[in-house]
Amino acid sequence: MILAGDIGATRVRLAAFETEGNRLKCVVEKNYMSQEHGGLSEILAQFVRTEGIPVHSACLGVAGPVRSGRSKISNLPWIIDSREVAKQLKLDFVGLLNDLEAYAYGIDALDSKDFITLSEGSENAEGNRAVISARTGLGVAGLYWDGFRHHPFACEGGHADFAPTNDLQMELLAYLQKKYGRISCERILSGPGIRNIYEFLRDAHKAEEPAWLRDQISAAPDVPALISQLALEGKSAICDQTLTIFVSVFGAETGNCALQYMSTGGIFIGGSIAAKIVTRMKDPVFMKSFLDKGRMEILLNDMPVKIILNDDCGLIGAARYTLVQKAFPTSRAS
């Protein structure tokens, strides 16, 4: 039995998997609100006690950089140490990965129905891959191709500088700099980033915020979700413009990642936001921004571009990591 986790500032997802041949079968999954608990050890103890499942191996994907088997969760005062978790679970070793690295491990375990293709790319596409995922924050991971298999590795590319590509985005950058100082891509390509774009359009008088929308915004428990929903339904011009800017910036940054990782084997777009706004991601705006790299357009045109629809990709990847360690023990990275 494999214990897999996806640990974030908003929620903690834990699941137990068993193997069926070459496939993983989820036996149980539980969600916990991170802010309601004092630490991960408390949640692990509750999960193991209530589910009564014997744990034979474990891996956790965490929303933060992992160094020497330890990680400080972004936007949460938790420090997770893989050695302490292993001791609690009575295991020799527990994998601790950046959440996007875990996500990258999950890709090859998904089915064709778990993807939507934005660009087919070259017929015989092969080589490195990259994953970019917008949720509460922006995550990026790479997958190095050694000629036989892919090796996922973590990075913190979501915190790289935002690079505007037109005059409106230059104004957006200046607006956000006054609020935050340095602006990373995550300030725009995330749930909070959608709200940042909306407020820029409103405050800079680029679009009008009607009274009915102002009232809905003030009462909404999830403002970015409301903005996206109204844009998809065609009910608000300012929301529509917000999502257009978001998709354009997302396409450009996805193209940057494709170049940086030379992802001739494909670039995969994960995260709940892309999966929920698929119709807008399929709009020509995204691929136009993705391909707008001058002389490199020909190279990018050969790279497959796919959206991952399966929200369990990170959990599956964490479980799959434990299997990779058994097959290739020298590849242990945490």
Side-chain angles (χ1 to χ4, degrees):
M1 194 70 68
I2 302 168
L3 173 64
D6 184 3
I7 318 300
T10 303
R11 64 176 180 166
V12 171
R13 300 176 66 199
L14 295 178
F17 290 85
E18 60 184 10
T19 56
E20 290 186 343
N22 294 324
R23 297 186 65 82
L24 289 161
K25 178 184 177 183
C26 183
V27 178
V28 63
E29 179 187 334
K30 294 290 184 180
N31 294 339
Y32 305 85
M33 300 309 295
S34 304
Q35 304 287 348
E36 297 176 1
H37 298 272
L40 179 62
S41 60
E42 174 187 320
I43 296 174
L44 286 172
Q46 182 178 336
F47 179 83
V48 172
R49 182 177 64 254
T50 57
E51 300 307 320
I53 292 174
V55 178
H56 303 116
S57 58
C59 178
L60 307 174
V62 296
V66 178
R67 302 176 68 185
S68 302
R70 300 178 81 247
S71 179
K72 163 68 172 65
I73 302 299
S74 301
N75 304 314
L76 196 68
W78 292 4
I79 294 178
I80 298 176
D81 190 315
S82 61
R83 290 166 289 271
E84 292 179 2
V85 176
K87 184 178 180 180
Q88 180 181 359
L89 296 176
K90 297 180 173 58
L91 298 174
D92 293 333
F93 168 78
V94 168
L96 191 66
L97 309 178
N98 172 265
D99 57 349
L100 256 291
E101 183 180 2
Y103 210 92
Y105 271 102
I107 289 174
D108 282 338
L110 300 182
D111 298 320
S112 58
K113 64 179 175 59
D114 295 319
F115 301 96
I116 284 183
T117 300
L118 298 183
S119 177
E120 294 287 352
S122 174
E123 183 178 352
N124 300 310
E126 184 179 82
N128 299 341
R129 292 175 173 175
V131 184
I132 182 168
S133 172
R135 297 190 293 183
T136 305
L138 180 67
V140 180
L143 297 93
Y144 163 67
W145 174 248
D146 69 0
F148 298 96
R149 69 184 184 96
H150 285 101
H151 301 261
F153 60 91
C155 75
E156 290 296 330
H159 297 281
D161 296 329
F162 166 54
T165 59
N166 57 40
D167 291 342
L168 185 61
Q169 291 180 21
M170 292 281 283
E171 292 184 53
L172 171 62
L173 174 61
Y175 170 85
L176 294 176
Q177 283 175 329
K178 290 179 181 178
K179 291 182 67 173
Y180 302 111
R182 175 187 173 270
I183 302 303
S184 68
C185 295
E186 186 175 78
R187 289 291 188 189
I188 292 127
L189 298 178
S190 61
I194 290 175
R195 185 165 189 167
N196 282 335
I197 299 169
Y198 176 92
E199 291 177 352
F200 156 69
L201 292 173
R202 180 196 65 196
D203 296 347
H205 306 292
K206 301 295 181 181
E208 181 183 352
E209 180 188 61
W212 67 265
L213 179 54
R214 182 168 59 252
D215 292 340
Q216 286 197 25
I217 291 286
S218 63
D222 188 341
V223 172
L226 174 63
I227 293 169
S228 299
Q229 177 186 345
L230 293 174
L232 293 173
E233 294 173 353
K235 293 182 177 179
S236 165
I238 186 173
C239 292
D240 181 77
Q241 191 174 353
T242 296
L243 213 55
T244 296
I245 293 172
F246 177 86
V247 169
S248 177
V249 174
F250 207 172
E253 185 57 25
T254 302
N256 289 340
C257 289
L259 291 176
Q260 290 158 354
Y261 293 99
M262 189 63 174
S263 56
T264 53
I267 186 155
F268 296 83
I269 304 160
S272 55
I273 296 177
K276 290 176 180 177
I277 62 166
V278 165
T279 54
R280 294 300 290 265
M281 295 291 286
K282 294 170 76 173
D283 188 273
V285 169
F286 182 90
M287 284 306 301
K288 181 180 178 182
S289 297
F290 176 83
L291 294 170
D292 189 17
K293 304 300 181 188
R295 292 171 292 174
M296 293 296 103
E297 179 177 340
I298 296 174
L299 175 65
L300 288 170
N301 202 48
D302 284 339
M303 297 181 183
V305 182
K306 299 184 179 184
I307 296 175
I308 299 172
L309 299 177
N310 192 332
D311 192 44
D312 292 332
C313 187
L315 277 176
I316 294 168
R320 187 169 177 268
Y321 173 82
T322 68
L323 302 179
V324 171
Q325 299 317 301
K326 292 177 182 178
F328 305 96
T330 57
S331 67
R332 180 174 292 180
S334 300

